[in-house]
Amino acid sequence: MNTRTDAPGFLSAATRFLFFTGKGGVGKTSLSAAAAIALADAGRRVLLVSTDAASNLDEMLGVPLRNQPVDVPGVPGLAVLNIDPDAAAEAYRLRVLAQLDAGASEDERATVREQLSGACTTEIAAFDEFAALLAQEGAGWDHVIFDTAPTGHTLRLLSLPKAWSGFLAGNDRGASCLGPHSGLKMQEARFNAALAALSNEVTTTVVLVTRPDPRPMQEAARTADELRTLGLSNQRLVVNGVFHATVQKGGQVDPTARAMEALGLRAITQMPEALARLPCDEVPLRAFDTVGLPALRALLAGPGRESAPAAVPAAPAGAELPAEPLSRLADELAALGHGLIMVMGKGGVGKTTIAAALAVGLVRRGHSVHLTTTDPAAHVAGTLNGSLPNLKVGRIDPKAETEAYITKIMATRGKALDEQGRALLLEDLQSPCTEEVAVFHAFSRVVNEARSAFVVLDTAPTGHSLLLMDATGAYHRQMMQQYEGGNHGVHIITPLMRLQDASTTHVLLVTLPEFTPVSQAAALQDDLRRAKIEPWAWIIHKSVAATGTTDPLLQARLAGEHRQTARIAGGLARRTFVLPWLAEPPVGVAALGALAAPAAQAA
């Protein structure tokens, strides 16, 4: 493994297109922003693009994100844009409507608008913006750097050029879910050009970002293999947040710091073979939050040359975390008897661990529980690493759900069609959009199941979950329009209505006690409230405040932790629960059960 000696390799040998991807919470946004600034400081013209619906680049850079390039003050040559799914979808609708004949009636236009109102249109429109940057509109930039959504969603995005190019080959009608064929066929050349750019090792590099931790490394290894099958073979690895304990006076090393360093070194030396053979850069753990230009410039500075940002006020000595233990949360949920428990938050904050611990805790309190996930990069089963009576473990698998959905549609809508009609229906169902619809239907079944039992749902990282919420909202509006003003004698209850019902659904927001995860949890809470879904509680995960660490770097980071917990207590959360940093990651039924054990068992 070739480790860095000065400038990281993804900077010294930067290709035109750089994709930063990896499991949520590994530092993709910080590293992509720092790389963009470094290249711009070197005199290049750089466009930094976020494909994450839950991006916080605006906070990091101090500029508002738009779906058009915005110059970054203080960094000549750097502009940033966010591929906003809603704005992209509206622009896409207008382009498709403009393709209609001048003589098209208002009814025909209304029909097209209705065809273009679904979640699949939002996906293809956002992808269309992404493809345009690869195909032509990125021509004015020396480098285009993509800060991508967490792994599962990014794999979906990077697979779309191949999927749509294949779907359009020989298809002169286009997908029915996207309106008239001109709305899709007019972009065929762009999709093919995007595919060519992604596959070109000279122009495109995928930077796989991980932490020195086995789980994100395993996910990075899977991603590396999947990207190779998509034709993206020019890959680099970045291990971010590498920690080294400080030897203090008398040769003493703080026990917490020693344990953290040992865990990181073990993960690096035992990394999967798919990663070990990649060129690798290491970025050390910094004492500061990577917010603002000084901090981002310091993030990638070479040894001895980093200029840390100005110090921030320390937290008061002995500050207490205003939070309760996870066992108390499990007690309160168990008393409800049934319901949907949605564990949500930014990628990498530990949603899967929290969801699995609560599921085991509810079973230990005498309940039957279905633990499932909507995350394309799911690893619930690996976290449990075992079975437990009355605990059912599942997953909303996009591929399996899509196959089942296609089979169902062919058996129902296709039943009365002739051979040609069935062939055309099946052709339309091969559209990549079908996956989004199938996943929504599976999600709806899970929501309904919680009417009489406990369902603990480990959701995908924030951006992907918000797209699912959008689909839920779109379905709700469609159903309301169908039954509005009619006397059908039927009382409609949509999945959105169940999510809004506080007696059925309990949303738990998980965060790390760090600036970016707290900000993104707050933004997610605002989005949920706009949908009239009120979060039930916040969970602060991996707190080191209670360890009593004396390590100087961890002490510096602790000041930031106290600021974030005070921020949460200052009005963000109605209830707050805490789970401490553990020297040994909680994997397996026994370890998970200990996190939320009933008081009698924990004693």
Side-chain angles (χ1 to χ4, degrees), residues 167 171 173-177 405-431 434:
F167 176 73
N171 182 346
R173 300 178 313 105
S176 61
C177 63
Y405 178 78
I406 291 174
T407 299
K408 178 182 177 182
I409 295 300
M410 292 302 296
T412 52
R413 283 195 355 220
K415 186 176 182 180
L417 299 177
D418 59 21
E419 186 174 339
Q420 182 180 8
R422 285 176 60 82
L424 291 173
L425 176 60
L426 182 60
E427 183 181 280
D428 274 0
L429 288 171
Q430 302 306 316
S431 156
T434 301

Side-chain angles (χ1 to χ4, degrees), residues 88-107:
E90 182 57 26
Y92 184 84
R93 290 184 196 102
L94 293 175
R95 287 200 304 274
V96 173
L97 288 168
Q99 296 285 317
L100 294 179
D101 294 336
S105 68
E106 188 53 42
D107 284 347

Side-chain angles (χ1 to χ4, degrees), residues 4-8 11 38 282-284 286 288 295-308:
R4 87 178 250 202
T5 56
D6 192 1
L11 284 181
E282 289 186 9
V283 176
R286 301 298 190 185
F288 48 83
L296 290 167
R297 283 190 166 107
L299 178 60
L300 296 179
R305 294 203 303 275
E306 62 266 31
S307 59

Side-chain angles (χ1 to χ4, degrees), residues 185-200:
K185 290 293 284 186
M186 67 183 181
Q187 313 296 28
E188 185 172 5
R190 177 182 290 179
F191 296 168
N192 288 329
L195 179 60
L198 283 174
S199 306
N200 189 335

Side-chain angles (χ1 to χ4, degrees), residues 231-384:
L232 282 77
S233 55
N234 188 11
Q235 303 173 12
R236 293 191 66 92
L237 178 68
V238 176
V239 183
N240 186 33
V242 178
F243 174 69
H244 296 288
T246 301
V247 179
Q248 301 178 62
K249 289 182 180 179
Q252 299 298 309
V253 177
D254 172 67
T256 300
R258 183 188 293 112
M260 279 191 179
E261 181 180 47
L263 285 173
L265 291 176
R266 188 193 316 162
I268 291 172
T269 56
Q270 297 177 0
M271 72 168 62
E273 174 59 28
L275 299 183
R277 61 175 179 257
L278 293 177
C280 178
D281 303 297
E282 289 186 9
V283 176
L285 182 69
R286 301 298 190 185
F288 48 83
D289 285 326
T290 51
V291 178
L293 299 183
L296 290 167
R297 283 190 166 107
L299 178 60
L300 296 179
R305 294 203 303 275
E306 62 266 31
S307 59
V312 291
E320 294 285 332
L321 277 175
E324 303 170 83
L326 203 65
S327 58
R328 180 73 60 83
L329 174 58
D331 288 339
E332 294 186 15
L333 291 171
L336 300 172
H338 69 90
L340 175 64
I341 301 166
M342 291 185 69
V343 184
M344 304 186 73
K346 173 180 166 63
V349 296
K351 295 185 301 296
T352 301
T353 295
I354 300 295
L358 289 174
V360 173
L362 289 170
V363 170
R364 294 268 167 86
R365 287 164 174 79
H367 295 280
S368 294
V369 179
H370 180 192
L371 172 63
T372 188
T373 181
T374 63
D375 192 345
H379 41 72
V380 168
T383 299
L384 275 171

Side-chain angles (χ1 to χ4, degrees), residues 508-581:
L508 307 176
L509 298 183
V510 182
T511 183
L512 300 178
E514 300 171 8
F515 178 83
T516 295
V518 171
S519 294
Q520 293 203 343
L524 173 58
Q525 179 164 262
D526 290 341
D527 285 325
L528 290 169
R529 283 174 172 167
R530 279 192 285 273
K532 299 181 180 178
I533 301 171
E534 182 62 33
W536 201 57
W538 283 48
I539 300 171
I540 300 171
H541 191 210
K542 293 188 177 179
S543 165
V544 297
T547 65
T549 180
T550 60
D551 185 271
L553 191 149
L554 295 182
Q555 284 267 305
R557 293 184 64 83
L558 255 180
E561 176 173 329
H562 286 309
R563 283 192 298 276
Q564 297 312 314
T565 54
R567 183 180 167 197
I568 293 169
L572 283 178
R574 297 195 305 181
R575 296 284 303 282
T576 308
F577 299 87
V578 67
L579 198 62
W581 181 87

